[in-house]
């Protein structure tokens, strides 16, 4: 009796502690917020298409535990905007979604049908909302207009501060007085009372017999399962031994027997259907039935998560409206965007520390070093996504809280594009990225990055890293380094060429004698050019000359005209590298043509449209994803017809990507454009069809 009371008391204290831990403001716990603008989405895909789309069914299964859902019976209005958000409050992580209700009676009926555990299946009504638990981790709350689904997971706290634990050394243990005389007398009295109580206790032998019989039944069932496992293990051992003998003789696995085509199953019963099941078959069937029908339910975890959800639901329904509640997460929201996303990077970092128990210095030294740069973490990211007719456009904002940090980062961007870099571009290039930075400002920022950290009292990490950065500031000549590379440059991937290369393989004959066999294989060889601007041609010329005069292992470096060629061998992924410096440009390329362009032996050039684009967006790039995929996938060997089908579908439907990063009105603005293939009315329908087809193919392959 006393033991039961203690257990109940401990459970109450645990729940009370959990309630205190998760009682923080929900809006402060949100790490990621997303909103889908259904007003715009409906103009690009009709509701019937959305209802039937496999993506909706995936979301429905996640939220409600149902494989497929008929939207019309849910009481939900999917034509209205939806919100999604992730939270982490101490020990509880949750994924949340808000949905609009059009028929509350139908919704309540639907929600009750989703409970698969048979436990806690009654609707609880409060003053402003009703709530219901779908399973151990999923909770729903609603009023007449809106519903919130919260799917949580509980993570017990980790002990992190070992320095304050009792008896952390032998000396303190010896000095500690465990009991005084009064306490000893109290313990003796408790023991005597327990002895008297035990004498009055009546032994129930019938209950003991029932208990022992249940133990016997459990052991018998366990033996049955072991017999089945032993039989399977014996069969496996026999198969492995046969494979070993075959491998020794033929150096490969035995050929697989062809799988006979399955005949159409009829409803007629056969003699085999009437045959009684064997002992092992009965045990297997009982096991399968048990694991498919019984749903695991942890009552303690349920109570903790329910306490958390009740507190958060109360905060959500106490707000004037969802728009007001989530106003801090709509900083850059464009009402014309189809999807809006905002992430709190600082909250991600904070929760990373929580995952280690809250004390990064004790659990993960890497986090202690990251804590130095806390101002860098106080950054939000926002993105507006638009499903255009011919592209998916993502406009992203980096929102830096610290104004001094923001100004230093802006100084790193150089808006002036050097048009001479464009001469290395060709219309057939597969990918390109141009960058235009101020290397002097970049070095200043990097060498003084420690000023953006928190100087925690007694932090040895701060002292160590501060000394490291101070040493670098003394050792580095920022002016000389910025002259070596000004911060302007370009990387160009011209091609991915397929080439046959030879290699040595080893084979064994019947006498286990090893012989060398020369074989060939197909590889993908990149053709690229990397060029950077410099204000110190002399340094690079002397550096390349030194390399040309010295031996680099077995590598051969030859001077050709005014540049150098490094021969890596025909079996290398890159057979030759050319490098040189001329008129403020340092070039490294796999193609001699680009070196000839550098020295003026050959005229380069690019389209006027590309030059105009790079002048406006000097930090930008593009990638022909479809052509890159063709070049790579052609080298992959697919033996399965399903994999080949998936490969061909991707090759025929992948689009191209363009990216740019700018500073606009003292804000960091990036844009990613994914250009779709022709054949779709808009990019949203393209995305729906692509994802649904890929999911269907993957499911079929499984």
């Amino acid at each position: 009796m006393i033991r039961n009371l203690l257990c109940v008391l401990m459970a109450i204290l645990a729940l009370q502690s959990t309630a205190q831990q998760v009682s923080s403001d929900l809006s402060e716990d949100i790490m990621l917020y997303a909103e889908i603008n259904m007003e715009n989405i409906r103009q690009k895909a009709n509701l019937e298409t959305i209802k039937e789309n496999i993506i909706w069914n995936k979301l429905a299964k996640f939220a409600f535990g149902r494989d497929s859902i008929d939207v019309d019976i849910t009481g939900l209005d999917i034509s209205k905007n939806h919100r999604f958000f992730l939270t982490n409050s101490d020990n509880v992580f949750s994924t949340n979604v808000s949905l609009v209700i059009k028929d509350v009676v139908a919704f309540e009926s639907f929600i009750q049908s989703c409970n698969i555990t048979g436990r806690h299946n009654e609707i609880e009504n409060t003053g402003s909302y009703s709530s219901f638990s779908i399973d151990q981790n999923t909770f729903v709350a609603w009023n007449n207009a809106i519903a919130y689904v919260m799917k949580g997971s509980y993570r017990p706290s980790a002990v992190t501060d070992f320095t304050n634990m009792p008896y952390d050394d032998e000396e303190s243990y010896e000095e500690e007085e465990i009991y005084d005389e009064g306490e000893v007398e109290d313990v003796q009295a408790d023991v005597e009372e327990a002895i008297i109580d035990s004498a009055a206790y009546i032994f129930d032998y019938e209950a003991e017999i029932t208990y022992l019989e249940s133990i016997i039944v459990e052991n018998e069932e366990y033996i049955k399962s072991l017999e089945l496992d032993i039989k399977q293990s014996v069969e496996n051992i026999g198969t492995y031994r046969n494979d070993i003998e075959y491998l020794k003789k033929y150096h490969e696995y035995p050929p697989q027997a062809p799988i006979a085509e399955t005949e159409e199953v009829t409803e007629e019963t056969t003699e085999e259907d009437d045959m009684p099941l064997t002992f092992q078959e009965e045990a297997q069937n009982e096991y399968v039935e048990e694991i498919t029908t019984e749903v695991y339910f942890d009552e303690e975890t349920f109570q903790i998560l329910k306490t958390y959800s009740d507190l958060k639901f109360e905060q959500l329904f106490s707000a004037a409206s969802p728009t007001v509640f989530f106003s801090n997460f709509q900083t850059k929201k464009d009402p014309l965007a189809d999807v809006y996303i905002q992430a709190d990077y600082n909250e991600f970092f904070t929760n990373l520390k929580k995952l280690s128990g809250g004390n990064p210095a004790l659990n993960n030294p890497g986090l202690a070093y990251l804590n130095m740069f806390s101002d860098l973490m106080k950054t939000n990211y926002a993105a507006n996504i638009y499903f255009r007719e011919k592209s998916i456009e993502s406009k992203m904002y980096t929102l830096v809280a610290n104004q001094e940090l923001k100004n230093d980062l802006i100084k790193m961007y150089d808006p002036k594009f050097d048009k001479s870099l464009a001469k290395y571009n060709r219309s057939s290039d597969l990918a390109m990225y141009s960058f235009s930075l101020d290397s002097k400002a970049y070095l200043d920022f990097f060498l003084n990055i420690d000023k953006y950290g928190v100087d925690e009292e007694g932090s040895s990490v701060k002292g160590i890293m501060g000394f490291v950065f101070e040493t670098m500031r003394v050792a580095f000549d920022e002016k000389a380094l910025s002259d070596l590379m000004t911060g302007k440059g370009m990387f160009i991937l011209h091609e991915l060429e397929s080439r046959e290369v030879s290699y040595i393989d080893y084979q064994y004959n019947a006498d286990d004698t090893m012989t060398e066999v020369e074989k060939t294989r197909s590889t993908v060889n990149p053709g690229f050019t990397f060029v950077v601007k410099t204000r110190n041609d002399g340094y690079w010329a002397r550096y390349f000359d030194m390399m040309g005069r010295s031996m680099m292992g077995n590598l051969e470096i030859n001077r050709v005209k005014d540049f150098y060629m490094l021969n890596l061998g025909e079996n290398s992924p890159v057979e030759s590298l050319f490098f040189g410096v001329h008129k403020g440009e340092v070039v490294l390329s796999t193609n001699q043509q680009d070196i000839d362009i550098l020295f003026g032996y050959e005229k380069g050039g690019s389209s006027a449209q590309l030059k105009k684009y790079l002048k406006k967006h000097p930090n930008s790039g593009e990638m022909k994803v479809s052509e890159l995929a063709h070049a790579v996938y052609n080298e992959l060997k697919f033996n399965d017809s399903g994999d080949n089908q998936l490969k061909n579908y991707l090759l025929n439907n992948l689009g191209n990507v363009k990216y740019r990063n700018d500073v606009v009105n003292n804000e960091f603005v990036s844009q990613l454009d994914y250009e779709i293939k022709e054949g779709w009315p808009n990019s949203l329908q393209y995305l729906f069809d692509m994802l649904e087809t890929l999911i269907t193919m993957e499911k079929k392959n499984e």
Side-chain angles (χ1 to χ4, degrees), residues 493-656:
L493 180 62
H494 299 297
E495 61 187 356
L496 289 176
E497 181 185 9
S498 178
R499 186 160 55 92
E500 295 291 326
V501 297
S502 60
Y503 69 99
I504 300 297
D505 193 14
Y506 300 94
Q507 293 184 353
Y508 297 84
N509 56 23
D511 299 328
D512 288 343
T513 303
M514 182 182 70
T515 57
E516 292 185 356
V517 179
E518 185 174 349
K519 295 184 178 181
T520 60
R521 66 170 181 265
S522 181
T523 62
V524 176
N525 299 93
F528 64 86
T529 297
F530 181 59
V531 54
V532 294
K533 300 293 291 185
T534 182
R535 288 188 289 265
N536 192 343
D537 289 27
Y539 175 86
W540 288 106
R542 287 190 293 273
Y543 176 68
F544 292 151
D545 183 66
M546 180 192 67
M547 290 179 61
R549 293 174 182 273
S550 62
M551 295 296 295
M552 295 178 62
N554 295 325
L555 300 179
E556 179 184 353
I557 301 177
N558 298 316
R559 180 170 182 138
V560 182
K561 299 180 183 179
D562 295 318
F563 58 89
Y564 297 86
M565 181 178 69
L566 172 62
N567 292 318
L568 298 173
E570 60 180 11
N571 291 331
S572 172
V574 176
E575 187 173 352
S576 300
L577 278 176
F578 302 87
F579 49 92
V581 59
H582 184 64
K583 292 185 177 180
E585 292 178 6
V586 182
V587 174
L588 173 68
S589 180
T590 59
N591 194 332
Q592 185 176 339
Q593 178 185 359
D594 291 307
I595 295 292
D596 292 338
I597 292 174
L598 169 67
F599 288 97
Y601 307 140
E602 186 174 326
K603 186 177 180 181
S606 61
S607 67
Q609 183 180 1
L610 178 61
K611 289 181 180 179
K612 184 178 179 181
Y613 181 82
L614 291 175
K615 184 178 180 180
K616 188 176 181 180
H617 307 289
N619 292 283
S620 61
E622 60 181 23
M623 182 184 299
K624 298 176 182 176
V625 180
S626 180
E627 295 182 29
L628 274 170
H630 271 89
V632 174
Y633 279 170
N634 286 339
E635 304 307 318
L636 300 179
K637 306 300 182 182
F638 292 96
N639 297 322
D640 186 86
S641 59
D643 290 335
N644 270 314
Q645 186 182 9
L646 180 64
K647 170 190 129 177
N648 293 332
Y649 182 79
L650 288 172
L651 291 180
N652 294 330
N653 294 287
L654 286 174
N656 296 325

Side-chain angles (χ1 to χ4, degrees), residues 91-110:
N91 305 84
V92 178
F93 174 85
S94 71
T95 305
N96 310 264
V97 57
S98 73
L99 302 165
V100 176
I101 295 176
K102 63 180 178 181
D103 186 341
V104 69
V105 176
F107 179 75
E108 290 183 356
S109 176
F110 164 71

Side-chain angles (χ1 to χ4, degrees), residues 169-215:
D169 56 66
E170 293 183 3
E171 183 179 354
S172 61
Y173 180 82
E174 292 173 356
E175 293 176 355
E176 183 80 20
E177 288 189 9
I178 301 178
Y179 295 109
D180 58 24
E181 294 182 1
E183 289 175 336
V184 172
E185 292 176 357
D186 291 341
V187 171
Q188 290 175 345
D190 290 340
V191 171
E192 292 173 359
E193 183 179 352
I195 294 173
I196 295 172
D197 289 343
S198 64
Y201 175 71
I202 300 175
F203 179 69
D204 188 350
Y205 72 93
E206 293 181 347
E208 288 298 313
I209 292 174
T210 303
Y211 169 72
L212 293 175
E213 287 176 342
S214 68
I215 295 297

Side-chain angles (χ1 to χ4, degrees), residues 357-374:
N359 191 335
L362 287 173
N363 292 270
N364 190 334
L367 291 179
Y369 287 95
L370 280 178
N371 200 43
M372 282 186 54
F373 315 118
S374 57

Side-chain angles (χ1 to χ4, degrees), residues 667-680:
E667 288 189 330
F668 303 102
V669 183
S670 304
Q671 184 165 317
L672 180 69
D673 295 330
Y674 178 82
E675 300 173 349
I676 68 171
K677 288 287 186 73
E678 295 182 356
W680 281 271

